[in-house]
Amino acid sequence: MNTDSGKKERQIRQRSMTRWRLRRGLSRLIEQPAALIILILWLGLTLFVWHHRDAFSIESVILPSFHRLYQWVPSTLIVVVSFSFLMVILILLGTPWKAAQIDSDVAIALGLSPADVRYNYRPFLISVKSIKGSTAKKYVFWSRYIGVQLWNNPDTKKAVLWALHSHSDKAFAPGKYRYTVELTVGTGITPQERKSPKDPLFK
């Protein structure tokens, strides 16, 4: 794989991750009323700043003809910054706990290290949902470049489960959405604190 291809795959992965994070963040606002507090605070702050936007306007004595432009600039900045801040909030809400660490461990389990030219092919964690009435959890990964067959390779699956501190007798299956794989696992078999993989499975 050449450098241009690697850059392309990295961009595709990053765009997909951003879209999924935004989507999950929006879902959390709908599913968890407590998360609406953050949205209310954002809206309140935005309205407060907008109401006092005249305080940020720029006066020009030298070029009075640009007075309206100088008043328009702060308003535009408020809208842009507020929208950007909302995007950040949604991405944070849509990012699973310890997602970066899990992504790194799973990549190693799949045989993809940072030094590997295929590293940009690595999956990323979309969501982790607890199964109601049990201690099981359902993991969903974006995996555009890694087929479900590799996930279900016995050694690979064992390494992935080790990375997730979980166990499962089920197979990875194609997810509900395109380019996704999912697996329901049991938890609690490795109570020790998560560390960088040192298991013999990780070569």
Side-chain angles (χ1 to χ4, degrees):
M1 184 180 68
N2 56 43
T3 303
D4 291 339
S5 177
K7 182 178 180 180
K8 177 183 177 181
E9 307 309 331
R10 182 172 64 253
Q11 291 174 342
I12 290 175
R13 181 180 184 275
Q14 188 58 50
R15 286 197 299 268
S16 297
M17 181 184 291
T18 300
R19 285 195 295 268
W20 272 108
R21 297 289 188 255
L22 289 172
R23 183 175 182 173
R24 288 296 305 156
L26 186 58
S27 295
R28 285 195 63 187
L29 287 178
I30 298 173
E31 297 169 359
Q32 302 177 12
L36 286 175
I37 296 176
I38 299 176
L39 185 61
I40 293 173
L41 290 174
W42 165 81
L43 182 60
L45 179 61
T46 299
L47 292 176
F48 175 81
V49 175
W50 180 262
H51 181 70
H52 294 84
R53 65 187 182 280
D54 290 341
F56 302 98
S57 61
I58 304 172
E59 299 292 339
S60 176
V61 178
I62 301 177
L63 299 173
S65 58
F66 287 92
H67 177 71
R68 294 189 64 182
L69 175 62
Y70 293 143
Q71 289 183 319
W72 174 80
V73 170
S75 298
T76 303
L77 287 176
I78 290 172
V79 173
V80 172
V81 172
S82 179
F83 181 77
S84 299
F85 190 53
L86 176 61
M87 294 300 100
V88 171
I89 291 174
L90 291 177
I91 288 175
L92 290 175
L93 286 174
T95 301
W97 178 250
K98 293 187 176 180
Q101 189 172 23
I102 291 175
D103 290 348
S104 177
D105 288 354
V106 168
I108 295 175
L110 292 169
L112 303 173
S113 68
D116 195 322
V117 294
R118 301 172 301 153
Y119 193 61
N120 292 316
Y121 285 8
R122 68 194 186 281
F124 63 79
L125 180 63
I126 292 176
S127 65
V128 183
K129 289 187 177 181
S130 297
I131 305 299
K132 190 173 182 179
S134 72
T135 59
K137 294 182 178 181
K138 183 165 111 172
Y139 284 83
V140 180
F141 291 90
W142 177 89
S143 185
R144 177 169 180 166
Y145 306 108
I146 306 295
V148 70
Q149 295 85 356
L150 178 58
W151 285 88
N152 283 321
N153 175 282
D155 290 339
T156 301
K157 182 184 174 184
K158 187 175 181 180
V160 170
L161 289 174
W162 185 92
L164 297 177
H165 290 188
S166 305
H167 65 279
S168 178
D169 56 1
K170 297 182 179 181
F172 279 97
K176 181 180 178 181
Y177 300 99
R178 191 180 184 188
Y179 302 136
T180 62
V181 297
E182 59 184 45
L183 179 68
T184 300
V185 304
T187 59
I189 63 168
T190 52
Q192 67 271 26
E193 183 179 355
R194 175 186 287 274
K195 297 181 180 179
S196 299
K198 296 181 181 178
D199 189 275
L201 290 168
F202 294 84
K203 303 298 184 181

